[in-house]
Amino acid sequence: MKRKIAAIFAADIAGYSRLVAEDEEETLRRLASYRSVVDDFIAKAGGRIFNTAGDAVLAEFPSAVDAVRCAIDIQESLRTRNMAYPPSRQMSFRIGITIGDVVERDGDLLGDGVNIAARLEGLAEVGGICVSRAVHEQVANKLSVQFADIGAQEVKNIPTPVHAYMVAMRREDGSYTSPQVKKPASKVAAAPVWMWPLVVAVVSVVAIGVTGFLYNTKLKQTATAAATPAATPSAVPSAVPTATPTAAASATPSPMPTQMAKAPMAPMAPPNASAAMAPTPAPSPSAMPMAGKFPADSVPFINERVRSYLAGDYSAAGDYKAFALNVGGFTGSVLNQPNEEAARTGAVEQCQKRADAAQSPRRCELYAVGNTIVYAHGKPPMPPPPYFRHDPMTERPFASKDFPMVRDPQKARLENMFVPAQKSRAVALGPGAQYFMVLGTPSPEESSRRALESCGAIAGVACMIVAVDESYVVPIPTLFRVTGFFHAASNASIVAEARDDVVRRLGEAMGWNAVAVGTSGRPGLGLKAADEQTAVNGALAECAKRDSDCHVIAIGPFTVGPIN
């Protein structure tokens, strides 16, 4: 046997026995799907699963930081998958994490560390994470995670109380939940010794009385049964099969619609549901009907967890399902509905409820019914990749006061929301001063893609990534006022025969670039400069050789004018 210190991760499914009792086949199928997600996250985080039993998972990590980060990723991913199911059928894990001294034997781990992790898991909220004080001390200053101190907790088979913390889970809008503090159960004062004989006497008298009453009642029921002939059982068996949630549409669908509790209950479909339902309304001319597997890769605005869910659980589900979204990235999805109308209504209502909770001004719309896209707007306009590039000569720290084209209220919003937000984050800007920020994604590439999709849908034209995380990733002029986006090929200030040459020369030029023109529209360029002033001087000098009264019209990707 070998002893070691490890971060121990314990997880199991809340209400698993009830889920199995209600629908064993569907629960086991979903458990396998969810476990593949859990196992994948643990492996990617450097963890090792050392024991499993039914719905429970025990894993070890070399680092508390890796264990907590992995637990957060698991809960956020499974929360997305659960969105398609009603609360009564959601499969949510509780996770507990501690650091402790454990004994390794034949690959398994034993000891108080394992036991405490299991007790912390029992303290966690459904879909939540509970950690010990030792874990909190290790990760508090290393991860952008908020905690709620729930104090010392007395737990089963652990002699001393365990000081525990709840992890605040991030919502879709970037805000955090407020974990409910669990108070230790208060101990009931022991009854005085002299009272026990009295209690025993009272209980005995009550038991005798109840027994006599039940005996007399049984005699009366027996006599009544003897006098009444038994009902003849029906000779015709039921012709309606009981369908599981994954059954084909021709079977009777489950009467439980997978939508929010406040939504009205849709009527049960008849046995021949696929023939009795009204035909699907034809999609609008701009929609793209798709047959077969749902094309999850083409869905805009969404994060990768939702995309994984669409490619997996949604695509594999049977009839009467729908998926809704809005430009802000909020989504709603329902599966296994009693009919198509219930699926359409449920998906939109679920999406809109989430959007309203986050005060999103964008309305939700159906994106897909079944595996057919019905979204009327098509793909948003996008610039060609890469969506941003790092240039040490032009990058500088993000400052909301310098954000181009937007007014002061928008700058204040960027200061209050973008600056303190968790990585990765990005802001896209449109040529009409439209902007959209995406916060708290796993990578700068995802935040940039989603910001461009949403901004493009709002603006109607391709937008530009201006800032990623702490930095501006495009040159932000300070000597001039930004007035719009610069497109040399169509800029009317430049004489027509010179535009192609300006486009070619700008090309992939890094550093600071400036364009100046004179009264005849003859351009001068200052390229690959180390700072804004040098680029401006170079552009004016080159322009002066070809034209008169030269002035700067563009710096980097922006058209500019004099500062008022």
Side-chain angles (χ1 to χ4, degrees):
M1 293 190 298
K2 181 177 69 174
R3 285 192 172 275
K4 63 180 179 179
I5 302 294
I8 305 298
F9 166 110
D12 76 357
I13 295 171
Y16 180 71
S17 299
R18 174 186 59 79
L19 292 169
V20 172
E22 290 176 355
D23 193 331
E24 181 178 26
E25 184 176 325
E26 190 260 353
T27 298
L28 293 176
R29 179 186 64 80
R30 284 177 57 203
L31 173 62
S33 173
Y34 283 29
R35 272 294 310 275
S36 69
V37 174
V38 172
D39 293 1
D40 186 52
F41 274 116
I42 290 174
K44 287 180 178 178
R48 178 185 73 90
I49 296 175
F50 63 84
N51 203 337
T52 61
D55 62 314
V57 178
L58 290 169
E60 65 166 327
F61 290 82
S63 159
V65 173
D66 291 337
V68 173
R69 185 186 288 118
C70 176
I72 292 171
D73 289 342
I74 288 171
Q75 295 293 36
E76 291 182 347
S77 178
L78 297 186
R79 179 188 64 192
T80 301
R81 290 172 175 263
N82 274 327
M83 288 177 183
Y85 298 91
S88 62
R89 292 301 302 165
Q90 290 184 359
M91 186 177 288
S92 300
F93 279 83
R94 293 188 178 97
I95 298 177
I97 303 173
T98 191
I99 299 175
D101 188 309
V102 293
V103 175
E104 183 173 3
R105 184 173 63 187
D106 299 328
D108 197 4
L109 299 182
L110 307 170
D112 283 348
V114 178
N115 296 333
I116 291 173
R119 301 309 176 205
L120 290 169
E121 171 264 307
L123 293 174
E125 295 178 308
V126 175
I129 304 164
C130 186
V131 304
S132 67
R133 179 163 55 189
V135 172
H136 175 263
E137 290 172 351
Q138 289 289 322
V139 306
N141 297 322
K142 298 182 180 69
L143 293 177
S144 298
V145 179
Q146 299 179 15
F147 293 89
D149 187 347
I150 64 172
Q153 301 286 320
E154 294 185 6
V155 295
K156 184 178 178 182
N157 295 334
I158 303 298
T160 58
V162 178
H163 198 115
Y165 294 78
M166 296 286 195
V167 176
M169 302 302 295
R170 189 170 69 249
R171 301 186 182 96
E172 290 183 6
D173 62 352
S175 63
Y176 288 84
T177 61
S178 299
Q180 298 298 313
V181 176
K182 294 191 176 185
K183 298 180 179 179
S186 57
K187 296 182 179 180
V188 179
V193 175
W194 59 266
M195 188 178 288
W196 284 108
L198 178 60
V199 171
V200 172
V202 171
V203 171
S204 300
V205 171
V206 171
I208 293 170
V210 171
T211 303
F213 172 78
L214 293 176
Y215 179 75
N216 290 332
T217 303
K218 180 65 176 178
L219 288 177
K220 291 179 181 180
Q221 290 176 342
T222 303
T224 303
T228 304
T232 304
S234 171
V236 182
S238 171
V240 181
T242 302
T244 67
T246 56
S250 58
T252 306
S254 168
M256 176 72 75
T258 58
Q259 56 196 56
M260 304 309 294
K262 71 173 185 178
M265 180 70 74
M268 182 183 290
N272 192 17
S274 60
M277 293 299 153
T280 305
S284 64
S286 60
M288 300 182 300
M290 290 284 199
K293 187 175 181 181
F294 183 81
D297 289 344
S298 65
V299 182
F301 316 134
I302 61 174
N303 61 40
E304 294 308 314
R305 292 191 302 273
V306 176
R307 197 179 306 283
S308 176
Y309 158 75
L310 291 174
D313 286 8
Y314 184 91
S315 294
D319 286 343
Y320 305 140
K321 60 187 177 185
F323 175 71
L325 51 65
N326 78 356
V327 171
F330 293 93
T331 63
S333 175
V334 293
L335 309 177
N336 311 313
Q337 295 294 284
N339 55 53
E340 184 180 290
E341 186 58 34
R344 289 170 169 266
T345 302
V348 173
E349 286 185 350
Q350 187 186 95
C351 175
Q352 196 60 55
K353 182 174 181 179
R354 294 187 177 119
D356 291 343
Q359 299 181 337
S360 170
R362 310 294 170 183
R363 305 305 298 173
C364 289
E365 300 178 63
L366 278 173
Y367 185 86
V369 177
N371 286 332
T372 300
I373 296 176
V374 297
Y375 192 59
H377 307 294
K379 292 184 178 180
M382 294 282 285
Y387 298 137
F388 69 92
R389 59 183 183 178
H390 293 290
D391 183 351
M393 285 194 288
T394 60
E395 274 192 30
R396 62 188 180 91
F398 179 86
S400 56
K401 65 181 179 62
D402 298 327
F403 197 90
M405 301 172 60
V406 303
R407 298 179 182 273
D408 288 343
Q410 285 73 43
K411 292 181 180 181
R413 187 167 183 263
L414 287 163
E415 182 68 25
N416 294 332
M417 295 186 64
F418 183 78
V419 172
Q422 186 177 11
K423 292 182 179 179
S424 288
R425 55 191 186 269
V427 186
L429 177 67
Q434 308 90 345
Y435 74 102
F436 198 92
M437 67 180 89
V438 173
L439 314 174
T441 71
S443 69
E445 289 72 23
E446 179 178 335
S447 59
S448 298
R449 187 262 305 167
R450 291 176 57 195
L452 286 169
E453 287 174 339
S454 297
C455 181
I458 296 167
V461 294
C463 295
M464 168 175 48
I465 292 297
V466 174
V468 174
D469 293 334
E470 299 94 352
S471 303
Y472 283 113
V473 291
V474 295
I476 303 296
T478 58
L479 303 177
F480 297 84
R481 177 175 58 88
V482 174
T483 59
F485 284 12
F486 177 63
H487 299 289
S490 58
N491 190 281
S493 300
I494 304 173
V495 66
E497 61 267 26
R499 292 173 191 168
D500 289 345
D501 183 61
V502 173
V503 172
R504 179 187 60 80
R505 292 180 63 193
L506 286 173
E508 295 295 318
M510 302 290 279
W512 286 89
N513 304 303
V515 181
V517 295
T519 54
S520 299
R522 298 294 173 183
L525 277 64
L527 302 177
K528 302 180 182 179
D531 57 70
E532 181 183 2
Q533 187 65 66
T534 302
V536 168
N537 294 342
L540 290 172
E542 184 176 278
C543 176
K545 297 176 183 178
R546 304 173 180 179
D547 212 332
S548 59
D549 296 328
C550 292
H551 61 281
V552 175
I553 63 168
I555 295 178
F558 301 108
T559 57
V560 296
I563 296 176
N564 296 332

